Amino acid sequence: MTIAVCPGSFDPITLGHLDVVRRGVRLFDEVVVGVARNASKSALLSVEDRVGLARSAVAEIPGVRVEVVPGLLVDFCQEIGATALLKGLRGGADYDAELPMALMNRHLTGIETVFVPADRGVAHIASSLVKDVARHGGRVEDLVPPGVAEVVRARLRAHAEGARG
Ligand code: PNS
């Protein structure tokens, strides 16, 4: 039984993430979407939102489940018996960001990272851009799984109201 963890912030999950997960289940018996904390980003959505939206998005894909990564990613992988990490690469900037993490994770426990090239049809999608487009009133429904856009807009509204006091 081969298990891969597809880790990320998923703030929010996008059609790009979903494409990587779908392709991952052809390579591994099980893909675990690992919702983790990126220390260099502050998330718009709560962990509960991110997990809930990811669970709905993968509900119909056999061999996929969603879990929270509570601490170090490699510790989580060991706990669940995962032998690989799965990540998508949209371009050189992704590679530059992902390579140090892949090397560090391999240094820590020997776990390998498998990169899949992003499908051209979704290579322009990034969670940060989804939030930026939505923040400025743009349409994001065709960038994210069903139900995600509404939650993103609601959380952006709450943030804006909070900022105004
Ligand atoms: O979607 P992101 O923000 O690019 O994903 C980065 C993430 C969350 C996978 C990374 O920050 C991570 O692995 N965080 C968990 C803590 C950890 O293991 N840090 C060391 C990474 S080498």
Side-chain angles (χ1 to χ4, degrees), residues 7-9 36-38 41 71-73 87 98 101 104-105:
S9 306
R37 184 166 174 272
N38 184 334
K41 294 180 186 167
L72 206 55
L73 180 58
K87 275 269 178 165
E98 294 298 339
M101 290 194 273
M104 178 55 74
N105 287 325

Side-chain angles (χ1 to χ4, degrees), residues 6-15 17 33-38 40-54 87 90 125-135 140 143-145 148-149 151-153 155-156 159:
C6 181
S9 306
F10 300 102
D11 184 43
I13 190 163
T14 68
L15 296 185
H17 293 129
V33 173
V35 177
R37 184 166 174 272
N38 184 334
S40 58
K41 294 180 186 167
S42 78
L44 170 70
L45 305 180
S46 66
V47 172
E48 291 74 21
D49 277 345
R50 290 184 275 146
V51 168
L53 293 173
K87 275 269 178 165
R90 289 163 298 196
I125 304 176
S127 298
S128 54
L129 292 179
V130 167
K131 287 178 283 191
D132 201 40
V133 171
R135 188 175 285 118
V140 294
L143 305 174
V144 291
V148 171
V151 174
V152 168
R153 275 196 289 266
R155 301 302 178 257
L156 284 169
H159 252 242

Side-chain angles (χ1 to χ4, degrees), residues 9-163:
S9 306
F10 300 102
D11 184 43
I13 190 163
T14 68
L15 296 185
H17 293 129
L18 220 45
D19 175 56
V20 173
V21 169
R22 281 210 181 90
R23 287 158 62 196
V25 283
R26 294 203 215 120
L27 302 172
F28 302 98
D29 296 317
E30 187 174 37
V31 171
V32 177
V33 173
V35 177
R37 184 166 174 272
N38 184 334
S40 58
K41 294 180 186 167
S42 78
L44 170 70
L45 305 180
S46 66
V47 172
E48 291 74 21
D49 277 345
R50 290 184 275 146
V51 168
L53 293 173
R55 285 208 171 122
S56 311
V58 304
E60 307 298 317
I61 313 175
V64 182
R65 64 188 162 101
V66 179
E67 301 290 346
V68 175
V69 177
L72 206 55
L73 180 58
V74 291
D75 290 344
F76 174 75
C77 290
Q78 281 189 328
E79 267 162 41
I80 67 164
T83 51
L85 292 163
L86 172 70
K87 275 269 178 165
L89 289 182
R90 289 163 298 196
D94 277 355
Y95 181 75
D96 289 344
E98 294 298 339
L99 185 64
M101 290 194 273
L103 294 176
M104 178 55 74
N105 287 325
R106 192 167 63 133
H107 167 85
L108 291 170
T109 60
I111 195 162
E112 293 288 359
T113 299
V114 173
F115 292 114
V116 294
D119 184 89
R120 278 186 175 283
V122 292
H124 59 296
I125 304 176
S127 298
S128 54
L129 292 179
V130 167
K131 287 178 283 191
D132 201 40
V133 171
R135 188 175 285 118
H136 294 95
R139 182 181 154 72
V140 294
E141 271 74 2
D142 50 355
L143 305 174
V144 291
V148 171
E150 293 79 352
V151 174
V152 168
R153 275 196 289 266
R155 301 302 178 257
L156 284 169
R157 266 197 307 275
H159 252 242
E161 280 160 20

